[in-house]
């Protein structure tokens, strides 16, 4: 193992400007593959979702998935790209066992979308524009599983298994132009860009873009150049980084590693590198091929794609509000500070809150339940908020029961617990667990009378004018009713019984 000399982040930035290039692959959520009718559903038996086309058998002819093209155009439009009037697929030739055709059907010099940009908002509110070089269509490869080794990598494995269910699933690759001028904020810009792109993809409904499931993955290109120099340095490409935090760490690590090599008079090798979650480091992969090594040529088995300009304009007109614009609008409508909005976003609570408000809850209540009790439970279980088995409609109902006085917060938390435990709708949990607040004067009156009888000294104090002492009697009522009494009504009844004005 090579020893890597890292330079401190501050020292690296004192001498060099980082230049980044981010390549993001997104798996589209189409029902079928890009060039055949095979299902894209996850979790099927290995090699059960294959056919002669995606297995590359001789004589099989591919046909383009129209929904895949539509998704690509919509992504291009949302990224403010120009859309090609006419473009072709290309064969990218290389051998790899998980690619049965011995070439990947991709696009080369004729991408479907090009010359766009995405504005990303940094934590302090500053907006940084990332220029987009291109977005092109291609297909995913199969999946290799290396068996017998300790690390799951091919080294040390006794044999490898191949599953071609993923081979041919549509991908969009989105490539930025060189990102310059980010300086010390390069890691933050990289993270913010991938986060914004993920939001954009989700808002378009073309993919769930779940990085932990490999539906979205980022290759991080990085090079350094001394301050004041125009020419870019040699870049490294860290492949398949699959979380926002890892993107940020990979950029940071590579800045420090490049600076270490360059400062000691060494040269950077153009290569691909692997990122390691455990310690945030990268290690050498293979020496990077140049484009000419792939012998790209236009795919002869597919007709060119020529989107009708009128259709493209229709798609443009139907684009949803961009996520950044939507976030800023909601922040204003809800009257939140930037910090409060950031908490909502960090918790992944924006869409659940919007949906809960849509189901009738007020904003403050929706935010309180999703950021409080539900975030706590999601955190305990180590899952995303949206993975909790409770719907915005159910949360809105809980909030409504609190607003109308049927539940207090403590009881509402028990209702949420019941819903999460599969006990049914909020009203069923209230009935099943007997959780509604006791506010009818009959049942409450009995509890009040008992509390007064059991605490004569306190009752005398209240009668003598120490109204504050009534709190202890309210406490006794709450205890006797296991927290289900309407505390305000109990206090009124106590003061009434003791002949005192509240
Ligand atoms: Zn197929």
């Amino acid at each position: 193992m090579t020893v890597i000399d890292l330079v401190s982040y501050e020292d690296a930035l004192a001498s060099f400007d980082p230049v980044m290039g981010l390549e993001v692959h997104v798996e589209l959520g189409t029902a079928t593959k890009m060039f055949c009718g095979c299902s894209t559903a996850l979790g099927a038996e290995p090699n059960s979702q294959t056919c002669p086309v995606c297995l590359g058998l001789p004589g099989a002819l591919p046909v383009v998935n129209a929904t895949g093209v539509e998704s690509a155009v919509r992504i291009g439009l949302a990224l403010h790209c120009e859309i090609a009037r006419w473009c072709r697929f290309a064969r990218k030739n290389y051998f790899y066992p998980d690619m049965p055709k011995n070439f990947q059907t991709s696009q080369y010099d004729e991408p479907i979308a090009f010359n766009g940009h995405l504005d990303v908002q940094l934590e302090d509110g500053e907006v940084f524009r990332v220029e987009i070089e291109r977005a092109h269509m291609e297909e995913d490869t199969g999946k290799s599983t290396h068996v017998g080794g300790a690390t799951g990598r091919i080294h040390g494995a006794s044999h490898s298994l191949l599953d071609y269910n993923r081979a041919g699933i549509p991908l969009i690759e989105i490539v930025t132009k060189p990102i310059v001028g980010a300086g010390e904020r390069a890691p933050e810009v990289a993270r913010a860009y991938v986060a914004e792109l993920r939001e954009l993809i989700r808002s378009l409904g073309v993919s769930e873009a779940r990085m932990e499931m490999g539906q979205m993955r980022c290759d991080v290109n990085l090079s350094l150049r001394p301050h004041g120099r125009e020419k870019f340095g040699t870049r490294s490409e860290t492949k398949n980084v699959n979380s926002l935090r890892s993107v940020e760490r990979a950029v940071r690590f590579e800045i420090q590693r490049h600076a270490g090599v360059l400062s000691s008079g060494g040269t950077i090798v153009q290569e691909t590198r692997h990122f390691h979650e455990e310690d945030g480091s990268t290690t050498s992969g293979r020496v990077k091929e140049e484009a000419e090594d792939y012998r790209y040529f236009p795919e002869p088995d597919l007709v060119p794609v020529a989107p009708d300009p009128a259709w493209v304009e229709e798609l443009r007109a139907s684009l949803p509000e961009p996520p950044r614009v939507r976030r800023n609008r909601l922040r204003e409508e809800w009257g939140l500070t930037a910090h409060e909005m950031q908490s909502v976003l960090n918790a992944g609570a924006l869409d659940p809150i919007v949906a809960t408000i849509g189901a009738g809850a007020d904003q403050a209540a929706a935010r309180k339940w999703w950021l409080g009790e539900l975030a706590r439970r999601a955190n305990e279980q180590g899952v995303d908020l949206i993975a909790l088995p409770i719907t915005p409609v159910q949360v809105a109902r809980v909030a409504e029961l609190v607003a109308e006085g049927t539940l207090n917060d403590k009881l509402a938390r028990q209702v949420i617990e019941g819903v999460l435990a599969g006990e049914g709708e909020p009203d069923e949990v209230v009935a099943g667990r007997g959780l509604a607040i006791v506010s009818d004067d009959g049942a409450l009156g009995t509890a009040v009378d008992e509390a007064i009888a059991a605490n004569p000294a306190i009752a005398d104090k209240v009668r003598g004018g120490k109204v504050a002492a009534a709190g202890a009697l309210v406490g006794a009522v709450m205890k006797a009713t296991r927290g289900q009494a309407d505390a305000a009504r109990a206090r009124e009844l106590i003061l009434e019984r003791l002949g005192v004005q509240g």
Side-chain angles (χ1 to χ4, degrees), residues 33 35-38 49-55 167:
K33 293 185 181 180
F35 304 110
C36 62
C38 290
Q49 295 172 168
T50 57
C51 73
V53 172
C54 55
L55 289 176

Side-chain angles (χ1 to χ4, degrees), residues 281-294:
S281 71
T282 68
T283 53
S284 182
R286 59 186 156 84
V287 173
K288 177 72 177 166
E289 289 86 352
E290 295 293 341
E292 50 264 36
D293 295 332
Y294 289 119

Side-chain angles (χ1 to χ4, degrees), residues 5-331:
D5 284 321
L6 298 184
V7 164
S8 83
Y9 190 68
E10 291 67 29
D11 287 351
L13 270 298
S15 307
F16 300 101
D17 285 328
V19 177
M20 297 188 290
L22 301 170
E23 297 173 13
V24 174
H25 285 90
V26 179
E27 247 182 38
L28 295 179
T30 53
T32 57
K33 293 185 181 180
M34 192 65 193
F35 304 110
C36 62
C38 290
S39 167
T40 57
L42 289 172
E45 276 289 295
N47 299 308
S48 62
Q49 295 172 168
T50 57
C51 73
V53 172
C54 55
L55 289 176
L57 299 187
L61 285 174
V63 176
V64 174
N65 182 330
T67 309
V69 175
E70 181 179 323
S71 299
V73 172
R74 295 182 71 219
I75 290 171
L77 289 171
L79 290 169
H80 309 280
C81 287
E82 296 172 47
I83 303 300
R85 300 291 291 267
W86 188 91
C87 64
R88 286 175 296 187
F89 285 95
R91 290 191 182 183
K92 182 181 184 181
N93 296 281
Y94 65 103
F95 170 77
Y96 207 74
D98 62 16
M99 201 177 59
K101 297 191 296 189
N102 276 348
F103 62 84
Q104 181 187 28
T105 307
S106 180
Q107 292 193 290
Y108 179 48
D109 50 353
E110 298 168 358
I112 182 96
F114 49 94
N115 277 343
H117 65 263
L118 181 62
D119 287 336
V120 303
Q121 199 157 4
L122 305 180
E123 291 247 337
D124 66 358
E126 191 196 322
V127 174
F128 191 98
R129 174 161 293 188
V130 175
E131 305 282 348
I132 305 292
E133 170 87 32
R134 57 191 277 150
H136 69 251
M137 301 179 279
E138 57 183 36
E139 59 179 335
D140 213 343
T141 58
K143 190 175 177 351
S144 313
T145 307
H146 305 299
V147 184
T151 59
R153 292 191 186 278
I154 197 163
H155 301 286
S158 58
H159 59 286
S160 297
L161 299 171
L162 289 160
D163 175 9
Y164 294 118
N165 284 353
R166 201 178 66 182
I169 288 186
L171 290 180
I172 301 296
E173 180 174 345
I174 300 150
V175 182
T176 66
K177 291 182 180 171
I179 302 170
V180 297
E184 61 177 2
R185 305 186 75 171
E188 186 192 350
V189 167
R191 180 194 177 116
Y193 166 73
V194 179
E196 191 64 38
L197 186 57
R198 186 176 66 175
E199 287 305 306
L200 186 74
I201 298 285
R202 287 178 177 169
S203 76
L204 294 170
V206 294
S207 170
E208 289 179 28
R210 297 180 67 166
M211 297 186 81
E212 74 281 10
M213 292 173 70
Q215 292 170 338
M216 180 169 174
R217 40 206 199 247
C218 181
D219 300 339
V220 176
N221 288 276
L222 185 116
S223 65
L224 295 184
R225 56 178 176 181
H227 291 315
R229 208 174 83 178
E230 275 293 301
K231 194 167 174 286
F232 294 159
T234 305
R235 68 193 162 88
S236 58
E237 180 179 5
T238 305
K239 302 289 283 184
N240 292 330
V241 185
N242 65 358
S243 76
L244 297 179
R245 178 163 174 265
S246 298
V247 167
E248 187 168 5
R249 291 169 87 203
V251 171
R252 198 178 172 92
F253 182 89
E254 283 294 283
I255 288 175
Q256 293 181 257
R257 186 184 68 84
H258 279 231
V261 172
L262 296 172
S263 303
S264 60
T267 46
I268 295 291
V269 182
Q270 185 171 333
E271 62 182 356
T272 61
R273 297 184 67 85
H274 302 295
F275 178 74
H276 304 283
E277 287 293 339
E278 320 81 69
D279 61 359
S281 71
T282 68
T283 53
S284 182
R286 59 186 156 84
V287 173
K288 177 72 177 166
E289 289 86 352
E290 295 293 341
E292 50 264 36
D293 295 332
Y294 289 119
R295 296 179 295 115
Y296 280 101
F297 63 84
E299 167 59 60
D301 288 345
L302 286 166
V303 294
V305 176
D308 178 357
W311 176 65
V312 170
E313 289 316 307
E314 262 174 49
L315 293 180
R316 192 196 305 277
S318 70
L319 287 179
E321 186 181 22
R324 190 174 65 85
V325 174
R326 174 173 178 254
R327 283 198 306 270
N328 290 338
R329 174 177 60 76
L330 289 172
R331 186 172 78 75

